[in-house]
Amino acid sequence: MVKSRATLRTNVSCPAFPLASARASSKRAAAYTVALLVLLAGAQARAGDLKVSTWNLNWLTSRSRAEAHLPADVHVRDPEDFTLLAGYVRKLNADVVGFQEVDGPQAAALVFDPARYSIVTIDEPVVQRVGLAVRRGIGIERHPDDTTLDVEPGARFPLRDGLDVTLTLPGGQRLRVLVVHLKTGCQTDSLDHASRPACKLLAMQVPALAAWVHARQQDGGAYLVMGDFNRVLDEPEAMGTALAQAAPLLRVTQGRANPCWEGEAFIDHILAGGPARDWVVPNSLRVQVFSGEEDDKQRLSDHCPVSVRLDPQRK
């Protein structure tokens, strides 16, 4: 009897290697991946730690291709795919997951067990919504969606709003969180003198994102910005510069190589500001990689969960 790929697949939670250049060759990045796959997960979690993750789930919907208006090259998930993803969520065992490209709370609930997680998403009626899955026991205060990130309102394919919430942690600490999914198609091109349409739109989103960061810095509380930035931030470029000017931030992916699939530079990021900068547990960055065939990217995702641990007691 031949076992299904679902029963054969394994996953490993890996630290990320230093990245000599955000534009490292694919051969070098692939070598990082092979090396990382033999490593065990890192430091043990401590009581009171909070595991925070971001994960782009790649067009996650239970609707048909026609109903959801999916592109022709997007795989339509079947029940086994949802079961696989739910298994990875259990292994991820995160307290807070900022997700992207999910078709609303109902689709998210097929992957994030509602008995374990509270689920919130932006109100924008798009298939690729951003949202949060928050372990029950953590309080959630919803703020208005950050609509300033949709810099082309009324367009046929609108840009995603940001999800803005405040979490009340078990110890009583409050953590403001913005989950984003920025414009795709301009990972490394210059934003200063953008000529391509994708780069122009991404450049327009930068001031909106920086304004949110600046406002939170003025508030004085702990905050995170996380999600799919669709941007490599390791080399000097306009987005990283603008965010650094808005507030002192700790980007947990800085200078690291992403071992996801073939290996690449990070475009999924977690940025900590205010007191949350001190909460980040050193060397706790992890990427949950998948072991599978190339076509499994469609069944699972072309992105891997990126996680870090926070300790609100750290000073």
Side-chain angles (χ1 to χ4, degrees):
M1 179 173 129
V2 178
K3 294 184 180 180
S4 71
R5 287 184 296 174
T7 60
L8 293 173
R9 188 177 291 107
T10 59
N11 81 103
V12 182
S13 179
C14 299
F17 274 177
L19 179 64
S21 167
R23 298 179 182 177
S25 69
S26 59
K27 183 175 181 180
R28 178 182 298 175
Y32 284 168
T33 304
V34 172
L36 286 170
L37 283 171
V38 303
L39 298 178
L40 297 176
Q44 295 294 314
R46 297 175 293 180
D49 277 8
L50 187 79
K51 186 176 183 181
V52 175
S53 304
T54 180
W55 190 9
N56 183 323
L57 283 154
N58 190 29
W59 291 99
L60 186 75
T61 181
S62 60
R63 294 191 284 170
S64 68
R65 182 183 306 280
E67 186 181 5
H69 303 288
L70 297 179
D73 60 347
V74 170
H75 169 73
V76 179
R77 295 323 206 294
D78 60 31
E80 184 183 6
D81 297 335
F82 285 107
T83 299
L84 281 173
L85 287 165
Y88 279 117
V89 167
R90 289 192 296 272
K91 293 172 184 176
L92 181 63
N93 195 29
D95 299 290
V96 177
V97 183
F99 55 78
Q100 303 85 44
E101 295 197 26
V102 175
D103 189 15
Q106 293 77 21
L110 297 174
V111 173
F112 298 96
D113 182 0
R116 190 177 189 187
Y117 290 101
S118 301
I119 297 169
V120 291
T121 68
I122 57 173
D123 295 328
E124 192 176 15
V126 295
V127 177
Q128 291 190 338
R129 299 191 201 187
V130 302
L132 270 176
V134 181
R135 191 184 298 277
R136 293 195 178 275
I138 298 174
I140 306 173
E141 177 187 351
R142 182 85 181 263
H143 303 290
D145 294 344
D146 188 347
T147 59
T148 65
L149 292 172
D150 183 2
V151 296
E152 198 176 31
R156 181 183 176 191
F157 300 108
L159 300 176
R160 279 81 42 158
D161 296 337
L163 181 71
D164 188 353
V165 305
T166 294
L167 304 179
T168 301
L169 308 182
Q173 302 90 348
R174 290 170 63 81
L175 177 66
R176 189 82 173 253
V177 179
L178 181 69
V179 185
V180 302
H181 184 189
L182 302 182
K183 175 62 181 173
T184 189
C186 190
Q187 292 187 8
T188 58
D189 288 6
S190 173
L191 296 180
D192 292 316
H193 305 287
S195 57
R196 296 194 297 110
C199 295
K200 289 181 179 180
L201 289 172
L202 184 60
M204 292 169 63
Q205 289 181 304
V206 171
L209 185 59
W212 188 94
V213 168
H214 179 72
R216 301 292 76 75
Q217 189 69 22
Q218 295 300 109
D219 291 343
Y223 62 93
L224 299 178
V225 184
M226 62 179 177
D228 182 355
F229 286 62
N230 272 309
R231 186 71 179 170
V232 175
L233 298 177
D234 274 299
E235 295 186 354
E237 52 80 53
M239 182 182 294
T241 299
L243 294 177
Q245 291 173 346
L249 296 171
L250 174 62
R251 178 165 55 87
V252 302
T253 54
Q254 185 167 357
R256 317 302 291 183
N258 187 352
C260 187
W261 295 109
E262 299 91 350
E264 56 189 13
F266 279 103
I267 61 171
D268 302 297
H269 302 287
I270 301 174
L271 287 71
R277 296 174 66 213
D278 297 324
W279 296 0
V280 175
V281 176
N283 302 314
S284 65
L285 173 65
R286 294 292 180 271
V287 177
Q288 184 173 3
V289 297
F290 307 119
S291 175
E293 301 171 13
E294 181 70 16
D295 64 352
D296 287 337
K297 282 186 181 182
Q298 292 288 329
R299 303 187 67 216
L300 296 167
S301 176
D302 54 347
H303 295 246
C304 299
V306 177
S307 307
V308 73
R309 291 194 174 275
L310 305 180
D311 179 2
Q313 304 299 325
R314 290 189 80 245
K315 301 294 184 182

